[in-house]
Amino acid sequence: MMNAPMPRQTASLHPGKCTDPRRTLKGEERASVALHRLETLWFNTGTLCNITCVNCYIESSPKNDWLAYLTIADVAHFLDEITREGLPTRHIGFTGGEPFMNPDMGAILDLALSRGFEVLVLTNAMQPMQRPSVRQQLAALIATYGASLSLRVSVDHYTPALHDSERSVGSFERTLEGIGWLVGQGADLAIAGRTCWSENDDELRAGYRALFAERGWPLDAGDPARLVLFPEMDERVDVPEITTACWSLLNVDPASLMCASSRMVVKRKGASAATVLPCTLLPYDERFDMGPTLAAAATADGGMFDEGAVRLNHPHCAKFCVLGGGSCQS
């Protein structure tokens, strides 16, 4: 594995924000979110990626190996715990990096699907997924498990110029080639776009609708589950901190946030075991480590946690989830 610099993941432009787990910079009580039901368990398969995107929240790249490849044994450890403890988890998500760079990915997917879970993979559908051996594995999984396996492909914008400005020249057509292959296999498919282009929701959906029609893809751009438009997570932008008063002021139900129904598993480079985090957005901040098991995570206390509840002490909590209304499991 390559030795990359530790990713930035800066906390906030203002040095006084997101420091005290219990109080905001203004001294107000910081909001927290309790786990209501563990419906979704995410796995980060490793931060290595075939491309370097301009504003990747996890700073994945061909050199960033700070999160190691998960193995079949790593994943099985948590799936076994779900079964053993009778947890209500029905959905398993895989993200990266690019998941299909992980050499165990096909076997990992087969493991989760064979256990009866609904599985979602976030991918760029480029070269790693398009290798003949991976296509063969995927085709077999799609044929065997049908809609139990879903893939969400990142298409940052419906035009090649703007998509490529984030993901490198030529990436748009290479991604669309991968999507076309998935459509041909009858895969359960969704597209993930971004909202940073000075276009409103209707304009973006109209642009993607035209793209889908041009390509002959049976995707409904008006369906939020088939075209997910994500808010930005630029950590250079200062954001307000979330207090207990924000729930009523913003008319947001804390039970609607990701950390009320999901957890995330990562394995840091050099670590002997994987660890649980509150969500997919906080992979590097060790203050948010909840322990090596789901049981430990459910009772994590002190620091960023209050008997398993997560204190919203990171800019992503505000910008992406509470204010942005985003959810990786949409």
Side-chain angles (χ1 to χ4, degrees), residues 80-155:
D80 289 344
E81 185 179 10
I82 289 170
T83 301
R84 184 174 63 250
E85 301 300 326
L87 300 179
T89 314
R90 297 308 312 146
H91 304 282
I92 303 296
F94 294 98
T95 183
E98 169 50 48
F100 290 109
M101 288 188 69
N102 186 317
D104 287 344
M105 197 62 217
I108 288 172
L109 290 177
D110 194 26
L111 173 67
L113 288 161
S114 68
R115 300 275 187 102
F117 293 101
E118 300 292 318
V119 173
L120 171 64
V121 185
L122 311 188
T123 177
N124 59 38
M126 294 177 70
Q127 287 88 337
M129 192 203 78
Q130 295 184 44
R131 287 173 292 170
S133 61
V134 176
R135 281 191 174 190
Q136 183 178 13
Q137 288 177 321
L138 258 182
L141 290 169
I142 293 166
T144 301
Y145 298 106
S148 292
L149 172 61
S150 300
L151 298 102
R152 185 190 299 158
V153 181
S154 297
V155 181

Side-chain angles (χ1 to χ4, degrees), residues 22-187:
R22 296 179 178 273
R23 297 283 169 180
T24 68
L25 179 62
K26 295 180 179 180
E28 298 170 291
E29 183 180 358
R30 188 177 302 283
S32 63
V33 175
L35 180 68
H36 287 252
R37 282 171 55 88
L38 183 59
E39 297 174 355
T40 303
L41 183 61
W42 284 90
F43 292 90
N44 187 298
T45 61
T47 40
L48 286 172
C49 189
N50 55 301
I51 56 176
T52 302
C53 296
V54 173
N55 195 29
C56 177
Y57 81 96
I58 199 173
E59 299 178 58
S60 295
S61 75
K63 295 184 178 180
N64 179 4
D65 64 347
W66 272 90
L67 297 185
Y69 285 145
L70 288 178
T71 66
I72 299 172
D74 292 326
V75 175
H77 168 78
F78 292 96
L79 300 187
D80 289 344
E81 185 179 10
I82 289 170
T83 301
R84 184 174 63 250
E85 301 300 326
L87 300 179
T89 314
R90 297 308 312 146
H91 304 282
I92 303 296
F94 294 98
T95 183
E98 169 50 48
F100 290 109
M101 288 188 69
N102 186 317
D104 287 344
M105 197 62 217
I108 288 172
L109 290 177
D110 194 26
L111 173 67
L113 288 161
S114 68
R115 300 275 187 102
F117 293 101
E118 300 292 318
V119 173
L120 171 64
V121 185
L122 311 188
T123 177
N124 59 38
M126 294 177 70
Q127 287 88 337
M129 192 203 78
Q130 295 184 44
R131 287 173 292 170
S133 61
V134 176
R135 281 191 174 190
Q136 183 178 13
Q137 288 177 321
L138 258 182
L141 290 169
I142 293 166
T144 301
Y145 298 106
S148 292
L149 172 61
S150 300
L151 298 102
R152 185 190 299 158
V153 181
S154 297
V155 181
D156 286 344
H157 194 261
Y158 54 83
T159 65
L162 291 181
H163 176 92
D164 285 2
S165 71
E166 287 289 325
R167 293 179 177 256
S168 75
V169 174
S171 62
F172 183 80
E173 285 301 329
R174 191 63 169 150
T175 291
L176 267 55
E177 179 185 332
I179 296 172
W181 180 82
L182 289 169
V183 169
Q185 298 300 310

